[in-house]
């Protein structure tokens, strides 16, 4: 019993015991941010994602030549109804896979906000019940992502926001442009992600690796300086509010060292005051992105603009 109570406390839950002449009642309360639901695990751009089962109409294998182009949009006729078909990898900013082509594709038919659409994915791995955690105040708004689940092996798997996808697909001209995938490993640019939150760190790592970059991670500024000495990178993406050495101090140290002075530093932080923004630029940050308005396509665009 004591072991179960410890697990409950770690999840941020509470237990209340109510005793009466009729017996004893145990009331367990868990935060909504840890709600469970069933989702289908898919792979897109080589990365795993969960799609809520409640938004899925069906999954199927299609013949690629059945996809038609109408008014510059990919359309497939399902149940005598033309529906828009998009690549999940591309819409998330991962670009298209350059691997072996096939005559068939895996398709997930989803519905949200009154819009029915098809998502092309690399692989469908089946349904399972998962615990979903929100991304916290630091990443309140990541486009097309509603939360994340941590699997038994420690892997962080983002959960798709089907309503966001529906809004994007209904206005295809607003699709985010993705950074080009590098054709060979030796041409890949390297990025050091500095973030003390494991959820944010792994999410950024997945986004950047999906865009074709080689990614090294560090848990704070001290760890980042050690990583830079061992393996200099092309660009640094760092949080600000971290233990031991924050992002402002890290940026100052990078700019003060002739070896790393020219490396662009992008600060991605929840600190959104005018003073914090000005401080970031003063210490030498190449760009300052506020997490509350975080959008992965904007991050990729800023990186592409600053990388040498």
């Amino acid at each position: 019993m004591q072991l179960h109570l410890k697990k409950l406390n770690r999840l941020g839950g509470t237990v209340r015991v109510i005793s009466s002449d009729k017996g004893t009642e145990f009331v367990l309360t868990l935060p909504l941010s840890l709600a469970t639901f069933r989702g289908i695990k898919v792979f897109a751009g080589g990365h795993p994602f969960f799609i809520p089962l409640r938004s899925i109409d069906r999954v199927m294998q299609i013949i690629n030549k059945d996809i038609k182009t109408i008014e510059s949009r990919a359309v497939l006729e399902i149940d005598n109804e033309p529906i828009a078909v998009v690549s999940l990898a591309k819409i998330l900013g991962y670009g298209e896979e350059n691997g072996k082509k096939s005559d068939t594709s895996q398709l997930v038919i989803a519905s949200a906000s009154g819009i029915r659409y098809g998502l092309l994915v690399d692989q469908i791995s089946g349904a399972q019940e998962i615990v979903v955690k929100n991304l916290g105040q630091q990443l309140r708004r990541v486009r097309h992502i509603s939360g994340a689940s941590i699997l038994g092996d420690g892997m962080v798997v983002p959960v798709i926001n089907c309503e966001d996808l529906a809004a994007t697909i209904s206005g295809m001209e607003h699709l985010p442009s993705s950074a080009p995938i590098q054709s060979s490993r030796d041409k890949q640019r390297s990025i050091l992600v500095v973030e003390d939150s494991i959820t944010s760190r792994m999410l950024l790592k997945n986004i950047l690796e999906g865009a074709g970059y080689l990614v090294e991670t560090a848990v704070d500024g001290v760890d980042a300086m050690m990583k830079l000495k061992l393996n200099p990178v092309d660009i640094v993406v760092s949080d600000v509010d971290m233990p031991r050495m924050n992002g402002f101090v890290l940026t100052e140290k990078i700019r003060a060292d002739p070896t790393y002075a020219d490396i662009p530093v992008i600060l991605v932080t929840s600190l959104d005051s005018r003073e914090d923004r000005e401080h970031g630029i003063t210490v030498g940050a190449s760009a300052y992105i506020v997490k509350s308005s975080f959008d992965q396509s904007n991050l990729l665009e800023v990186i592409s603009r600053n990388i040498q």
Side-chain angles (χ1 to χ4, degrees):
M1 181 67 178
Q2 187 175 5
L3 179 60
H4 293 308
L5 288 176
K6 288 181 179 179
K7 290 182 178 179
L8 184 66
N9 289 333
R10 284 201 298 268
L11 292 174
T14 61
V15 59
R16 187 159 52 99
V17 180
I18 303 174
S19 297
S20 67
D21 296 338
K22 297 180 180 180
T24 302
E25 179 182 1
F26 294 87
V27 180
L28 301 180
T29 304
L30 287 173
L32 290 175
S33 59
L34 291 175
T36 63
F37 75 86
R38 289 188 64 78
I40 287 185
K41 186 180 179 183
V42 302
F43 286 82
H47 297 269
F49 297 91
F50 279 114
I51 301 177
L53 195 59
R54 64 176 181 271
S55 299
I56 295 176
D57 293 345
R58 72 173 78 166
V59 296
M60 58 193 298
Q61 181 171 280
I62 62 169
I63 300 174
N64 292 332
K65 66 180 183 181
D66 289 341
I67 300 176
K68 309 300 182 182
T69 302
I70 300 177
E71 296 181 353
S72 300
R73 295 190 182 191
V75 173
L76 182 67
E77 188 172 301
I78 303 291
D79 301 330
N80 297 318
E81 173 192 1
I83 66 171
V85 174
V86 297
S87 163
L88 181 59
K90 187 173 182 179
I91 206 170
L92 293 176
Y94 289 128
E96 297 285 7
E97 290 292 311
N98 295 320
K100 183 179 178 180
K101 297 296 183 180
S102 172
D103 294 331
T104 61
S105 295
Q106 300 294 319
L107 185 72
V108 177
I109 306 297
S111 298
S113 303
I115 299 171
R116 196 170 184 226
Y117 54 89
L119 298 173
L120 293 169
V121 298
D122 303 335
Q123 179 185 346
I124 299 172
S125 296
Q128 65 185 84
E129 188 165 320
I130 59 173
V131 176
V132 183
K133 301 184 67 174
N134 63 39
L135 301 179
Q137 292 299 312
Q138 295 86 356
L139 294 174
R140 290 198 301 270
R141 188 69 180 93
V142 180
R143 193 178 188 186
H144 304 138
I145 303 296
S146 61
S149 179
I150 301 178
L151 303 185
D153 59 1
M155 175 179 287
V156 178
V157 180
V159 177
I160 296 297
N161 186 325
C162 291
E163 286 71 23
D164 261 14
L165 285 182
T168 296
I169 292 169
S170 64
M172 293 292 289
E173 67 274 14
H174 301 302
L175 273 174
S177 58
S178 58
I181 300 293
Q182 302 293 335
S183 59
S184 66
R185 188 175 179 86
D186 60 353
K187 292 183 180 179
Q188 285 181 294
R189 299 306 185 109
S190 56
I191 297 179
L192 176 61
V193 172
V194 191
E195 170 65 70
D196 61 322
S197 165
I198 183 172
T199 303
S200 300
R201 187 165 66 245
M202 295 309 297
L203 184 63
L204 287 171
K205 186 175 188 292
N206 287 341
I207 291 172
L208 297 175
E209 285 183 339
Y213 296 107
L214 292 174
V215 181
E216 180 72 61
T217 61
V219 298
D220 57 31
V222 173
D223 189 26
M225 290 304 298
M226 293 176 61
K227 296 286 178 65
L228 281 176
K229 291 177 181 178
L230 294 173
N231 186 28
V233 296
D234 294 304
I235 194 167
V236 173
V237 176
S238 177
D239 186 20
V240 170
D241 189 12
M242 299 180 293
R244 297 203 297 176
M245 182 190 296
N246 65 36
F248 290 143
V249 177
L250 171 62
T251 304
E252 286 182 311
K253 287 188 174 294
I254 290 175
R255 291 289 172 258
D257 192 322
T259 306
Y260 320 117
D262 293 331
I263 296 178
V265 178
I266 297 175
L267 296 178
V268 183
T269 174
S270 57
L271 302 178
D272 59 355
S273 70
R274 179 179 177 181
E275 292 76 12
D276 289 321
R277 294 170 186 264
E278 291 178 350
H279 189 193
I281 301 304
T282 299
V283 297
S286 307
Y288 193 100
I289 300 175
V290 178
K291 288 181 178 179
S292 60
S293 57
F294 179 86
D295 186 307
Q296 65 189 44
S297 61
N298 289 342
L299 174 64
L300 295 175
E301 181 183 349
V302 170
I303 290 174
S304 178
R305 190 166 61 241
N306 282 276
I307 204 163
Q308 302 297 319

